[in-house]
Short mmCIF file of all heavy atoms in Angstrom, two decimals:
data_model
loop_
_atom_site.label_atom_id
_atom_site.label_comp_id
_atom_site.label_asym_id
_atom_site.label_seq_id
_atom_site.Cartn_x
_atom_site.Cartn_y
_atom_site.Cartn_z
N TYR A 276 39.02 -97.59 48.18
CA TYR A 276 38.37 -96.63 49.05
C TYR A 276 36.86 -96.60 48.87
O TYR A 276 36.12 -96.11 49.72
CB TYR A 276 38.96 -95.22 48.84
CG TYR A 276 40.43 -95.14 49.18
CD1 TYR A 276 41.41 -95.16 48.16
CD2 TYR A 276 40.81 -95.11 50.52
CE1 TYR A 276 42.72 -95.05 48.51
CE2 TYR A 276 42.15 -95.03 50.82
CZ TYR A 276 43.14 -94.99 49.83
OH TYR A 276 44.46 -94.94 50.16
N SER A 277 36.40 -97.14 47.80
CA SER A 277 34.93 -97.15 47.51
C SER A 277 34.27 -98.43 48.01
O SER A 277 33.04 -98.61 47.85
CB SER A 277 34.68 -96.98 46.03
OG SER A 277 35.17 -98.10 45.29
N SER A 278 35.06 -99.38 48.56
CA SER A 278 34.51 -100.60 49.01
C SER A 278 34.55 -100.75 50.54
O SER A 278 35.45 -100.22 51.19
CB SER A 278 35.28 -101.77 48.38
OG SER A 278 34.90 -103.04 48.91
N ASN A 279 33.57 -101.46 51.09
CA ASN A 279 33.59 -101.82 52.53
C ASN A 279 34.10 -103.15 52.77
O ASN A 279 34.06 -103.70 53.90
CB ASN A 279 32.15 -101.69 53.08
CG ASN A 279 31.64 -100.28 53.08
OD1 ASN A 279 32.37 -99.33 53.36
ND2 ASN A 279 30.33 -100.09 52.80
N ASP A 280 34.66 -103.80 51.75
CA ASP A 280 35.21 -105.15 51.85
C ASP A 280 36.48 -105.09 52.73
O ASP A 280 37.13 -104.06 52.83
CB ASP A 280 35.52 -105.70 50.48
CG ASP A 280 35.46 -107.23 50.47
OD1 ASP A 280 35.40 -107.83 51.53
OD2 ASP A 280 35.52 -107.83 49.36
N SER A 281 36.89 -106.23 53.25
CA SER A 281 38.07 -106.29 54.11
C SER A 281 39.33 -106.19 53.32
O SER A 281 39.38 -106.46 52.12
CB SER A 281 38.09 -107.62 54.92
OG SER A 281 38.32 -108.71 54.01
N PHE A 282 40.41 -105.79 53.97
CA PHE A 282 41.71 -105.66 53.34
C PHE A 282 42.12 -107.01 52.77
O PHE A 282 42.64 -107.09 51.68
CB PHE A 282 42.73 -105.24 54.35
CG PHE A 282 44.18 -105.14 53.87
CD1 PHE A 282 44.68 -104.01 53.27
CD2 PHE A 282 45.01 -106.25 53.96
CE1 PHE A 282 45.97 -103.95 52.77
CE2 PHE A 282 46.30 -106.21 53.49
CZ PHE A 282 46.74 -105.06 52.89
N THR A 283 41.83 -108.10 53.52
CA THR A 283 42.21 -109.45 53.04
C THR A 283 41.54 -109.82 51.80
O THR A 283 42.14 -110.37 50.83
CB THR A 283 41.92 -110.46 54.16
OG1 THR A 283 42.65 -110.13 55.35
CG2 THR A 283 42.32 -111.86 53.71
N ASN A 284 40.24 -109.57 51.68
CA ASN A 284 39.47 -109.93 50.47
C ASN A 284 39.92 -109.08 49.27
O ASN A 284 40.04 -109.58 48.12
CB ASN A 284 38.00 -109.74 50.67
CG ASN A 284 37.43 -110.81 51.58
OD1 ASN A 284 38.02 -111.87 51.75
ND2 ASN A 284 36.26 -110.51 52.14
N ILE A 285 40.21 -107.75 49.52
CA ILE A 285 40.64 -106.92 48.43
C ILE A 285 42.00 -107.34 47.88
O ILE A 285 42.28 -107.18 46.69
CB ILE A 285 40.71 -105.44 48.94
CG1 ILE A 285 39.25 -104.96 49.19
CG2 ILE A 285 41.45 -104.56 47.98
CD1 ILE A 285 39.22 -103.58 49.83
N ASN A 286 42.80 -107.97 48.73
CA ASN A 286 44.12 -108.43 48.30
C ASN A 286 44.18 -109.93 48.06
O ASN A 286 45.27 -110.58 48.25
CB ASN A 286 45.16 -108.01 49.39
CG ASN A 286 45.51 -106.54 49.33
OD1 ASN A 286 46.33 -106.11 48.53
ND2 ASN A 286 44.83 -105.79 50.16
N GLY A 287 43.06 -110.46 47.60
CA GLY A 287 43.04 -111.84 47.13
C GLY A 287 43.35 -112.88 48.20
O GLY A 287 43.98 -113.93 47.88
#
Side-chain angles (χ1 to χ4, degrees):
Y276 296 103
S277 63
S278 172
N279 292 323
D280 207 351
S281 69
F282 177 89
T283 300
N284 287 341
I285 290 173
N286 285 277

